[in-house]
Protein backbone atom coordinates (compact mmCIF):
# COMPACT_ATOMS: atom_id res chain seq x y z
CA UNK A 1 0.00 0.00 0.00
CA UNK A 2 1.36 3.42 -0.95
CA UNK A 3 1.69 6.20 1.59
CA UNK A 4 -1.27 8.61 1.68
CA UNK A 5 -0.78 11.87 -0.23
CA UNK A 6 0.48 14.99 1.57
CA UNK A 7 -2.94 16.63 1.93
CA UNK A 8 -4.36 13.44 3.47
CA UNK A 9 -1.46 13.11 5.92
CA UNK A 10 -1.83 16.74 7.00
CA UNK A 11 -5.59 16.33 7.45
CA UNK A 12 -5.06 13.17 9.51
CA UNK A 13 -2.52 14.87 11.80
CA UNK A 14 -4.79 17.92 12.21
CA UNK A 15 -7.69 15.65 13.22
CA UNK A 16 -5.67 14.54 16.27
CA UNK A 17 -6.46 16.26 19.57
CA UNK A 18 -3.93 18.98 20.36
CA UNK A 19 -2.76 19.50 16.77
CA UNK A 20 -2.92 23.21 15.86
CA UNK A 21 -1.15 23.42 12.48
CA UNK A 22 0.76 20.98 10.28
CA UNK A 23 2.84 21.30 7.11
CA UNK A 24 5.01 19.01 5.02
CA UNK A 25 8.63 19.61 6.04
CA UNK A 26 10.58 19.79 2.80
CA UNK A 27 14.22 18.71 2.60
CA UNK A 28 15.57 22.26 3.04
CA UNK A 29 13.48 22.78 6.20
CA UNK A 30 14.53 19.44 7.64
CA UNK A 31 18.21 20.08 6.86
CA UNK A 32 18.03 23.31 8.85
CA UNK A 33 16.32 21.53 11.77
CA UNK A 34 19.11 18.92 11.65
CA UNK A 35 21.79 21.61 11.61
CA UNK A 36 20.25 23.32 14.63
CA UNK A 37 19.64 20.08 16.53
CA UNK A 38 23.11 18.70 15.84
CA UNK A 39 24.48 21.81 17.52
CA UNK A 40 22.82 20.70 20.77
CA UNK A 41 25.47 18.38 22.18
CA UNK A 42 24.85 18.84 25.88
CA UNK A 43 22.05 19.69 28.28
CA UNK A 44 21.60 22.97 30.11
CA UNK A 45 23.40 21.39 33.07
CA UNK A 46 26.39 20.20 31.01
CA UNK A 47 25.56 16.53 30.46
CA UNK A 48 26.32 15.10 27.01
CA UNK A 49 23.22 14.74 24.81
CA UNK A 50 22.38 12.10 22.20
CA UNK A 51 19.32 12.66 20.03
CA UNK A 52 18.03 9.31 18.78
CA UNK A 53 14.70 10.92 17.90
CA UNK A 54 16.50 13.09 15.33
CA UNK A 55 18.34 10.06 13.97
CA UNK A 56 15.03 8.20 13.58
CA UNK A 57 13.53 11.13 11.65
CA UNK A 58 16.58 11.26 9.36
CA UNK A 59 15.75 7.74 8.16
CA UNK A 60 12.22 8.71 7.11
CA UNK A 61 11.37 9.63 3.51
CA UNK A 62 8.44 11.85 4.61
CA UNK A 63 8.43 14.44 7.40
CA UNK A 64 5.68 16.67 8.75
CA UNK A 65 6.16 19.82 10.84
CA UNK A 66 3.45 19.85 13.49
CA UNK A 67 2.54 22.56 15.99
CA UNK A 68 0.65 21.23 18.94
CA UNK A 69 -0.40 21.53 22.55
CA UNK A 70 0.36 19.11 25.38
CA UNK A 71 -2.80 17.16 24.46
CA UNK A 72 -1.19 15.92 21.22
CA UNK A 73 -0.44 12.21 21.79
CA UNK A 74 1.05 12.44 25.29
CA UNK A 75 3.92 9.96 25.63
CA UNK A 76 3.08 6.54 27.03
CA UNK A 77 6.70 5.40 27.19
CA UNK A 78 10.07 6.84 28.21
CA UNK A 79 11.28 9.56 25.83
CA UNK A 80 14.25 10.93 27.83
CA UNK A 81 16.68 8.54 29.49
CA UNK A 82 20.05 8.80 31.15
CA UNK A 83 22.63 6.18 30.16
CA UNK A 84 26.08 5.45 31.56
CA UNK A 85 29.14 4.92 29.34
CA UNK A 86 28.20 1.24 28.89
CA UNK A 87 24.71 2.09 27.64
CA UNK A 88 23.02 1.02 30.89
CA UNK A 89 19.86 3.01 31.62
CA UNK A 90 20.39 4.70 34.98
CA UNK A 91 17.63 7.31 34.86
CA UNK A 92 14.46 8.04 32.91
CA UNK A 93 11.45 10.29 32.57
CA UNK A 94 8.11 9.22 33.99
CA UNK A 95 5.18 9.88 31.65
CA UNK A 96 1.87 10.53 33.40
CA UNK A 97 0.48 7.06 32.58
CA UNK A 98 3.50 5.40 34.29
CA UNK A 99 3.54 7.55 37.44
CA UNK A 100 1.63 5.06 39.58
CA UNK A 101 3.92 2.21 38.54
CA UNK A 102 7.04 4.04 39.74
CA UNK A 103 5.71 6.19 42.60
CA UNK A 104 5.77 3.32 45.09
CA UNK A 105 9.35 2.21 44.28
CA UNK A 106 11.38 3.21 47.36
CA UNK A 107 14.69 2.62 45.56
CA UNK A 108 14.26 5.33 42.95
CA UNK A 109 15.61 8.84 43.51
CA UNK A 110 13.21 11.48 42.20
CA UNK A 111 14.99 14.38 40.51
CA UNK A 112 11.73 16.29 40.02
CA UNK A 113 8.13 15.49 39.27
CA UNK A 114 8.88 13.35 36.24
CA UNK A 115 12.46 12.08 36.25
CA UNK A 116 14.12 9.39 38.38
CA UNK A 117 17.54 7.88 38.71
CA UNK A 118 18.56 4.58 40.17
CA UNK A 119 20.28 4.77 43.59
CA UNK A 120 23.36 2.90 42.34
CA UNK A 121 23.77 5.12 39.27
CA UNK A 122 27.22 6.51 38.61
CA UNK A 123 26.14 9.71 36.90
CA UNK A 124 29.66 11.07 36.48
CA UNK A 125 30.00 9.73 32.92
CA UNK A 126 26.41 9.69 31.74
CA UNK A 127 24.58 11.14 28.78
CA UNK A 128 20.97 12.17 28.26
CA UNK A 129 19.27 10.41 25.36
CA UNK A 130 16.19 11.68 23.56
CA UNK A 131 14.26 8.68 22.28
CA UNK A 132 11.80 8.79 19.38
CA UNK A 133 8.19 8.66 20.49
CA UNK A 134 5.95 6.45 18.38
CA UNK A 135 2.73 8.12 17.27
CA UNK A 136 -0.59 6.36 16.88
CA UNK A 137 -2.38 8.99 14.74
CA UNK A 138 -0.67 7.73 11.57
CA UNK A 139 -0.54 4.07 10.67
CA UNK A 140 -1.42 1.34 8.19
CA UNK A 141 -4.57 3.11 6.95
CA UNK A 142 -2.29 5.94 5.79
CA UNK A 143 0.33 3.58 4.33
CA UNK A 144 2.69 4.22 7.24
CA UNK A 145 4.52 1.43 9.04
CA UNK A 146 5.80 3.67 11.83
CA UNK A 147 5.46 7.35 12.69
CA UNK A 148 7.80 8.97 15.22
CA UNK A 149 8.04 12.49 16.58
CA UNK A 150 10.98 14.69 17.48
CA UNK A 151 10.34 17.68 19.71
CA UNK A 152 13.30 19.93 18.88
CA UNK A 153 15.31 22.20 21.16
CA UNK A 154 14.67 25.94 21.39
CA UNK A 155 16.60 27.13 18.31
CA UNK A 156 14.90 24.67 15.95
CA UNK A 157 11.53 25.35 17.59
CA UNK A 158 11.96 29.09 16.93
CA UNK A 159 13.10 28.42 13.35
CA UNK A 160 10.04 26.25 12.62
CA UNK A 161 7.62 28.71 14.18
CA UNK A 162 9.12 31.59 12.18
CA UNK A 163 9.11 29.60 8.93
CA UNK A 164 5.49 28.50 9.26
CA UNK A 165 4.07 31.64 10.88
CA UNK A 166 3.28 30.24 14.32
CA UNK A 167 3.22 32.59 17.32
CA UNK A 168 6.53 32.14 19.16
CA UNK A 169 5.12 33.79 22.28
CA UNK A 170 2.34 31.23 22.75
CA UNK A 171 3.98 28.89 25.25
CA UNK A 172 1.12 26.39 24.88
CA UNK A 173 2.31 25.50 21.37
CA UNK A 174 5.31 23.26 20.74
CA UNK A 175 6.78 22.35 17.40
CA UNK A 176 7.59 18.82 16.34
CA UNK A 177 8.84 16.90 13.35
CA UNK A 178 6.93 13.73 12.55
CA UNK A 179 8.94 11.17 10.61
CA UNK A 180 6.93 8.68 8.56
CA UNK A 181 8.29 5.26 7.60
CA UNK A 182 6.35 3.59 4.77
CA UNK A 183 4.79 0.14 5.18
Amino acid sequence: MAMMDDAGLIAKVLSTEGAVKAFIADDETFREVCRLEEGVTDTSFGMQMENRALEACKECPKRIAVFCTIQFEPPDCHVMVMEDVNGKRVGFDIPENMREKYSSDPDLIWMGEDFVISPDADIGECRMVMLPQDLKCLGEAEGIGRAVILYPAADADIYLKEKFGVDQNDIRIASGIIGCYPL
Side-chain angles (χ1 to χ4, degrees), residues 49-54 73-83 89 91-98 114-115 128-135 146 148-151:
M49 179 74 137
E50 180 182 339
N51 195 335
R52 293 183 192 152
L54 177 63
E73 293 218 21
D76 60 1
C77 59
H78 303 298
V79 293
M80 169 91 58
V81 298
M82 185 186 298
E83 292 180 351
R89 189 173 290 179
F92 47 87
D93 66 326
I94 306 288
E96 189 62 40
N97 71 318
M98 299 174 117
D114 62 357
F115 199 87
M128 292 301 288
V129 180
M130 292 291 303
L131 300 173
Q133 175 188 336
D134 287 308
L135 295 180
R146 182 181 184 207
V148 297
I149 190 163
L150 156 72
Y151 289 104

Side-chain angles (χ1 to χ4, degrees), residues 32-44 49-51 53-54 66-67 80 130 149-162 168 173-177:
E32 182 62 10
V33 168
C34 289
R35 186 187 72 74
L36 292 166
E37 285 295 290
E38 288 166 353
V40 179
T41 58
D42 58 8
T43 63
S44 59
M49 179 74 137
E50 180 182 339
N51 195 335
L54 177 63
V66 63
F67 300 92
M80 169 91 58
M130 292 291 303
I149 190 163
L150 156 72
Y151 289 104
D155 287 348
D157 176 69
I158 291 167
Y159 163 74
L160 288 167
K161 287 177 177 176
E162 282 179 355
Q168 294 177 41
I173 299 175
S175 64
I177 296 288

Side-chain angles (χ1 to χ4, degrees), residues 57-128:
C57 285
K58 284 180 179 180
E59 297 172 8
C60 299
K62 177 74 66 186
R63 295 171 204 92
I64 301 167
V66 63
F67 300 92
C68 56
T69 66
I70 197 166
Q71 286 81 28
F72 183 77
E73 293 218 21
D76 60 1
C77 59
H78 303 298
V79 293
M80 169 91 58
V81 298
M82 185 186 298
E83 292 180 351
D84 66 16
V85 293
N86 298 314
K88 177 184 173 192
R89 189 173 290 179
V90 296
F92 47 87
D93 66 326
I94 306 288
E96 189 62 40
N97 71 318
M98 299 174 117
R99 192 164 309 250
E100 188 176 318
K101 174 182 176 181
Y102 291 104
S103 64
S104 61
D105 187 335
D107 294 328
L108 293 175
I109 300 169
W110 288 81
M111 303 303 290
E113 289 182 18
D114 62 357
F115 199 87
V116 297
I117 61 171
S118 131
D120 60 345
D122 177 6
I123 59 171
E125 293 291 324
C126 287
R127 68 179 168 268
M128 292 301 288

